[in-house]
Amino acid sequence: MTWTRKDLLGLEYLSREEINLILETAESFKEVSSRDIKKVPALRGKTVVNLFYEPSTRTRVSFEVAAKRLSADVINIASETSSVRKGETLIDTGKNIEALKADILVIRHNYSGAANMLAEHLNISVVNAGDGWHEHPTQALLDIFTLKEKLGRIEGLEVVIVGDISHSRVARSNIWGLNKLGAKVTVCAPKMLIPAGIERMGARISYNIDQALENADAVNVLRMQFERDNEEAFPKQLEYFKDFGITRERLKRAKKNILVMHPGPINRGIELSSEVADGPGSVILEQVTNGIAVRMAVLFLTAQAGEEKK
């Protein structure tokens, strides 16, 4: 199939075929990172702007590396150094970036729907690098890419997502993407961290991590966002680790070759033990590597579609 969307806003909006096209394109780009000269001219002459309103290391750097390996020019803008501090609106910021003849705007924002709003007002391509509690599509795509690379398929896999489901855009994007590709998804967390209506997205709910892991092919461990803690909205850290932390002892009761994933940054001793994070089943660093190939694919496909629509 041919990619026709100038924007990537979330996996909820994509078809199974579109997701597979991104994964196939990423597979072709992954080889670039193994070359002595890690660069192809696919986006030569294009400009990618990374506009981040939230702190980020992995995602921003990954997009920057991906754009440079495609030979694009890259501009990084953090909200602390932008005209937002002078009262400029998000749409005005976007329009000014468009007026500078940028081709792709990668946006991370703390408000859900920010990327969608920009896409409605701009002619250039908009890529969602995480918006509020809504979606983080490229993180889910690199998670799915890693699963497929390690296990050979997505159809029929049992994937457990454990942790702060309520505040997780990563969880939502993974649920949309994995379900569309035929995986079975279980979310596991304390009741206070399971959002209402999550079943309607196609996820099963478990409040017992040991039971959830029994038949799982992979467990995606989310970061506990303790900075959002207020009025007992979160369990205590040591209590959480005891009840839901992924440890070597806990994994002994799971499938022998279960994969352990994490979007980062890791809170060791809270979400999972160091033995697990650095253990043989961990693919956490492979996720980081695969993120470059996936984001190269996304930038390439959206740029091509955006060019056709000009």
Side-chain angles (χ1 to χ4, degrees):
M1 67 166 293
T2 302
W3 183 268
T4 59
R5 297 176 185 266
K6 77 173 182 68
D7 310 302
L8 178 69
L9 305 176
L11 299 196
E12 178 183 1
Y13 316 108
L14 300 188
S15 67
R16 178 189 182 105
E17 292 73 24
E18 287 173 318
I19 294 173
N20 277 325
L21 178 58
I22 295 173
L23 299 178
E24 290 163 8
T25 307
E27 188 174 358
S28 68
F29 277 132
K30 185 170 181 181
E31 179 269 334
V32 174
S33 295
S34 65
R35 299 178 185 176
D36 291 335
I37 299 176
K38 299 175 176 61
K39 187 168 283 194
V40 291
L43 292 188
R44 182 179 293 163
K46 302 290 185 183
T47 300
V48 176
V49 176
N50 292 323
L51 178 61
F52 278 57
Y53 287 81
E54 288 183 325
S56 171
T57 300
R58 288 162 184 78
T59 303
R60 185 190 60 75
V61 172
S62 184
F63 268 111
E64 182 175 358
V65 172
K68 288 181 176 179
R69 288 190 180 169
L70 293 168
S71 300
D73 297 315
V74 183
I75 300 170
N76 294 312
I77 304 174
S79 60
E80 312 88 67
T81 59
S82 74
S83 293
V84 170
R85 293 181 66 88
K86 301 177 182 178
E88 185 174 73
T89 68
L90 177 60
I91 293 174
D92 282 340
T93 298
K95 285 186 174 295
N96 275 277
I97 291 171
E98 184 174 59
L100 292 171
K101 304 304 178 183
D103 300 283
I104 303 174
L105 176 58
V106 179
I107 173 83
R108 167 168 284 194
H109 204 283
N110 54 323
Y111 287 111
S112 299
N116 296 60
M117 181 175 67
L118 271 179
E120 290 175 2
H121 288 85
L122 302 181
N123 293 317
I124 62 174
S125 295
V126 175
V127 175
N128 183 3
D131 61 329
W133 300 347
H134 175 226
E135 282 216 43
H136 192 350
T138 58
Q139 179 64 49
L141 286 166
L142 72 88
D143 293 344
I144 294 168
F145 182 92
T146 304
L147 282 172
K148 188 173 182 181
E149 183 178 63
K150 300 298 290 187
L151 300 177
R153 62 188 173 90
I154 299 299
E155 185 85 36
L157 291 182
E158 297 263 359
V159 180
V160 173
I161 303 175
V162 59
D164 184 4
I165 309 297
S166 289
H167 302 110
S168 179
R169 53 198 174 203
V170 173
R172 287 170 175 80
S173 287
N174 264 282
I175 292 168
W176 286 121
L178 287 167
N179 270 299
K180 289 181 181 185
L181 297 184
K184 298 176 182 178
V185 183
T186 298
V187 295
C188 185
K191 288 185 179 180
M192 65 185 76
L193 296 181
I194 299 286
I198 196 79
E199 306 100 312
R200 291 195 294 273
M201 294 176 62
R204 295 172 294 182
I205 296 174
S206 174
Y207 303 110
N208 185 307
I209 186 60
D210 294 304
Q211 290 178 2
L213 290 176
E214 282 180 2
N215 298 308
D217 297 291
V219 55
N220 200 338
V221 188
L222 301 176
R223 184 176 73 86
M224 287 294 291
Q225 301 181 46
F226 287 104
E227 70 273 13
R228 302 183 190 274
D229 189 4
N230 64 84
E231 298 180 359
E232 302 299 320
F234 273 71
K236 301 303 180 186
Q237 295 185 20
L238 291 179
E239 176 185 304
Y240 176 83
F241 184 64
K242 174 178 174 290
D243 293 337
F244 292 91
I246 307 301
T247 63
R248 188 166 65 179
E249 287 301 312
R250 189 155 261 153
L251 290 183
K252 285 180 180 178
R253 300 190 289 273
K255 280 187 176 181
K256 182 179 179 181
N257 297 317
I258 186 172
L259 297 184
V260 178
M261 313 177 77
H262 196 299
I266 301 170
N267 291 311
R268 293 171 183 257
I270 298 175
E271 299 145 3
L272 73 174
S273 68
S274 288
E275 289 178 316
V276 172
D278 303 324
S282 173
V283 293
I284 295 170
L285 293 180
E286 291 176 64
Q287 290 173 263
V288 176
T289 299
N290 289 336
I292 297 172
V294 165
R295 289 172 175 128
M296 287 175 73
V298 167
L299 292 174
F300 174 75
L301 291 170
T302 53
Q304 299 307 305
E307 188 65 34
E308 289 176 5
K309 292 184 178 181
K310 284 182 180 178

